[in-house]
Amino acid sequence: MTEVGASRRSQPGHRGEQKKGFFGGIWLFISQVIDEMRKVVTPTRSELLQYTVVVIVFVALIMAIVSALDFGFTKLVFWVFAG
Amino acid sequence: MLSSFGQAFRTPDLRKKLLFTLGIIILFRMGSVIPTPGVSYAAVQACLAGAPEDANSFLGLANLFSGGALLQLSIFALGIMPYITASIIVQLLTVVIPRFETLKKEGQQGQTKLTQYTRYLTIGLAVLQASTLITFARNPENLFGPQCTNILYRDDVATIVIMVLTMTAGTGLVMWLGELITDKGVGNGMSLLIFTSIAATFPSSLWTIRQQQGWGTFAFVIAMGLVIIAIVVFVEQSQRRIPVQYAKRMVGRRMYGGTSTYIPLKVNMANVIPIIFASSLISLPMMASQFRRSPTGDNPSWVDWVDRYLVRGDHPVYMAIYVTLILFFTFFYVSITFEPDEVADNMKKYGGFIPGIRAGRPTAEYLRYVLNRITVVGAIYLALVSLIPLVALSLFGANQNFPFGGTSILIMVGVGLETVKQIESQLQQHKYEGFLR
């Protein structure tokens, strides 16, 4: 979070705009990508854990609800149409 | 933390939204088991039970996305798929057709018009897919295997027309349900309905793995699922924050602005949409070939080609096409949802600027520059995560029973995270603690 300061900024116009052929262009692009990725803020360990647990609980909850629903409806429809 | 699930239910209007969403999910699941008129429910069930293991995997993804409704020939057999396909087509057309482009730029009103076109197209696609599915249901050997000879009570023209109409109407209804969720419930309706469908078939396909491969593979699949969930959460929460400074200004006697904030650019801005688009697009030729398969074995050559390359998830050609589609749709979707020019314009209007960069066009260019470079990583991440399970599962030989593992896990976690965060932000509006703090 602290590395987001305005101090390290890449400016598209200023750095290496001159083309060094096809591979030079690709290399420049890759280094720019890496440069930008360094400035990405990632979640902290506890944040990650909390989100993960919440998502797992949520998904499991929906799965349980839907499975129960399906079980009930299948029985019902079977009773109506084939029982 | 988990007690805030309960807290969400204690907030009156949030409870209303949650219950509304749940009610629609119940309706959706109910429609997925009610058989279409003219179809013998008992015969379909007998055929499903007697179908050989690999028969179902041909229509695998389509069946997965409809929550098993497709093979049951229920009134919601087509599920939300035609709607997804229609919205992909309309969004692609906004780039190609000038009239669509002007509509999109018109703002609210043009968007309404585009939504209207999407709905018409959905109905058109639904008629098309319903009639192919019904044609197919008249010769159910292709669908379920040779032991299955007849699943219809009658197959005169009137009955067929009624069946096509019913399925088309079902698709229309599903589309409406999805839009209702987006409007009055929580989360995005389209993704939530797919999520529900996948959640419906997921436990049984997990259990099939357990039965056929034993506890070892089962535990491995579960562990892999957990790791993937953690990875997905990690990347979804990563963002590049672009600092924005607001100029102080006097309006009347009061001072406004002077604050510094940031624009959050998520590494994966497109979320699960590219995965949904890519996998529904790649399943189209599979479906088409299924409908053209002749029982005698002399198929058209393109059907054989599709069979060889596009049906099995572990074939390199399949993987290559899938990855290409995902990469394409990630960039495409990001470019149509985030408009640097608009953001830069708005910032200029309210006296905001990125320190060191001039307002207006240079700001838009800078945003585009950062966005493009971040999205490269986001797109590669999406492609890799959707491939890992395919590769790992084929190593374990479990691929046949679990054909779209990566896709389904990614969609479930992505939609789950999105929905939970939306509930969370609505909770925070009520000054409650929320799930995540």
Side-chain angles (χ1 to χ4, degrees), chain A residues 1 4 9-10 12 29 32-33 36-37 39-41 43 48 50-51 54-55 62-63 66 70 73 77 81, chain B residues 1 29-30 33 35 41 195 200 202 233 237-241 355 366 369-370 373 376-377 417 420 436:
Chain A
M1 204 170 271
V4 199
R9 224 176 304 108
S10 56
F29 189 81
Q32 284 170 341
V33 167
E36 287 300 324
M37 286 316 287
K39 298 175 199 161
V40 163
V41 182
L48 182 64
Q50 269 180 339
Y51 272 105
V54 167
V55 167
I62 296 285
M63 261 190 208
V66 171
D70 273 12
F73 283 139
V77 168
F81 290 100
Chain B
M1 176 175 68
R29 287 314 302 167
M30 189 164 80
V33 287
Y41 184 76
F195 173 80
F202 206 76
V233 170
Q237 291 302 108
S238 305
Q239 45 185 227
R240 166 86 162 87
R241 293 174 175 168
Y366 178 66
Y369 169 90
V370 174
R373 276 146 192 81
V376 169
V377 178
L417 193 63
V420 166
L436 306 164

Side-chain angles (χ1 to χ4, degrees), chain A residues 1-15 17 28-67 69-83, chain B residues 1-2 5 22 25-27 29-30 33-35 41-42 45 67 72 153 192 195-196 198-203 206 226 229-231 233-235 237-243 262 267 354-357 362 365-366 369-370 372-374 376-377 412-413 415-417 419-421 423-424 435-437:
Chain A
M1 204 170 271
T2 48
E3 54 199 302
V4 199
S7 53
R8 293 180 62 238
R9 224 176 304 108
S10 56
Q11 282 156 353
H14 287 204
R15 191 183 333 163
E17 196 71 339
L28 176 68
F29 189 81
I30 292 176
S31 67
Q32 284 170 341
V33 167
I34 294 171
D35 210 40
E36 287 300 324
M37 286 316 287
R38 287 226 181 88
K39 298 175 199 161
V40 163
V41 182
T42 53
T44 61
R45 189 177 288 259
S46 70
E47 249 178 355
L48 182 64
L49 196 70
Q50 269 180 339
Y51 272 105
T52 310
V53 170
V54 167
V55 167
I56 291 173
V57 168
F58 179 79
V59 170
L61 195 72
I62 296 285
M63 261 190 208
I65 292 174
V66 171
S67 303
L69 279 178
D70 273 12
F71 185 75
F73 283 139
T74 312
K75 282 265 184 284
L76 186 71
V77 168
F78 191 81
W79 177 72
V80 171
F81 290 100
Chain B
M1 176 175 68
L2 293 178
F5 271 107
L22 203 64
I25 288 179
I26 292 175
L27 276 183
R29 287 314 302 167
M30 189 164 80
V33 287
I34 296 176
Y41 184 76
Q45 290 305 313
Q72 294 203 8
Y153 286 121
L192 212 60
F195 173 80
T196 314
I198 294 177
T201 39
F202 206 76
L206 262 184
L226 293 182
I229 289 176
I231 294 175
V233 170
F234 183 80
V235 179
Q237 291 302 108
S238 305
Q239 45 185 227
R240 166 86 162 87
R241 293 174 175 168
I242 295 183
Y262 56 83
V267 171
I354 302 170
I357 291 172
E365 264 162 24
Y366 178 66
Y369 169 90
V370 174
N372 277 341
R373 276 146 192 81
I374 284 185
V376 169
V377 178
M412 281 204 297
V413 178
V415 176
L417 193 63
T419 314
V420 166
K421 274 165 84 173
I423 298 175
E424 160 85 7
F435 303 128
L436 306 164
R437 232 143 290 242

